Amino acid sequence: MIRHFLNFLLRWLPPSRLFALRRWLLRRAGIELADDVSFCGGGWIYGPGRLSIGAGSWLSPGVIVHTHAQAPIVIGQRCDIGHGVEFVPGSHRIGTRERRAGEGTARSIEIGDGCWIGARTVILGGVRIGAGSVVAAGSVVTRDVPDNVLVAGVPARVKRALDR
């Protein structure tokens, strides 16, 4: 409930200012943040699950995080998360024909250090994005991404290796 109230409160702050106040409020809601994280406004944090964000990371306006109690979301250090990126750890098993969205599931998400996630990307549960990787804007990440590569598309696929 506190996260729900917090989301409304954060909407009133300027989207890319008052980062210390934002960090203080987010910590009160159980979010784990390093001291120099910049979490911009205009987004939303759903659910009671664990969300951890490493030092020097930037989350642009409009980032949406769906947390789940059984599926932590961990964002590494020095990551840049673009506008409107969405983290979705939950899904469903395929059910019977009476209701195809069967039993609910949830799997963790991990973003390695130094990643750049482009605007409007969707990252699904069970995914690890390797350190130093770039995810192009508008991609849908459905499986693990190796370290130091550029991925793009729906679903996201490796386009090229990046220098180390």
Side-chain angles (χ1 to χ4, degrees):
M1 184 61 149
I2 189 161
R3 287 188 184 176
H4 188 69
F5 175 71
L6 174 68
N7 286 318
F8 285 111
L9 183 59
L10 290 174
R11 286 248 184 223
W12 288 96
L13 297 177
S16 60
R17 301 283 184 272
L18 304 172
F19 292 117
L21 175 59
R22 286 179 185 285
R23 285 190 298 272
W24 184 83
L25 290 167
L26 289 165
R27 286 181 181 128
R28 298 297 138 321
I31 309 299
E32 301 168 27
L33 300 126
D35 287 335
D36 57 350
V37 167
S38 297
F39 197 118
C40 293
W44 207 265
I45 300 172
Y46 294 95
R50 178 174 172 242
L51 172 58
S52 175
I53 305 170
S57 289
W58 173 277
L59 285 81
S60 296
V63 170
I64 298 173
V65 183
H66 301 269
T67 68
H68 191 283
Q70 283 81 44
I73 297 173
V74 178
I75 299 171
Q77 298 179 25
R78 300 171 312 283
C79 292
D80 291 288
I81 311 297
H83 291 73
V85 170
E86 192 162 359
F87 296 86
V88 185
S91 187
H92 294 271
R93 298 194 196 296
I94 295 178
T96 64
R97 65 180 174 183
E98 288 81 24
R99 186 170 195 159
R100 289 297 181 196
E103 176 188 4
T105 63
R107 296 172 35 197
S108 62
I109 296 172
E110 181 183 344
I111 311 299
D113 293 343
C115 288
W116 176 18
I117 311 297
R120 301 277 187 235
T121 292
V122 176
I123 302 170
L124 300 180
V127 167
R128 181 192 176 279
I129 297 177
S133 289
V134 175
V135 179
S139 297
V140 177
V141 184
T142 61
R143 61 182 138 210
D144 288 353
V145 172
D147 292 352
N148 299 305
V149 297
L150 168 69
V151 299
V154 180
R157 299 206 189 288
V158 175
K159 298 299 180 182
R160 68 181 173 102
L162 301 173
D163 62 6
R164 295 180 180 266

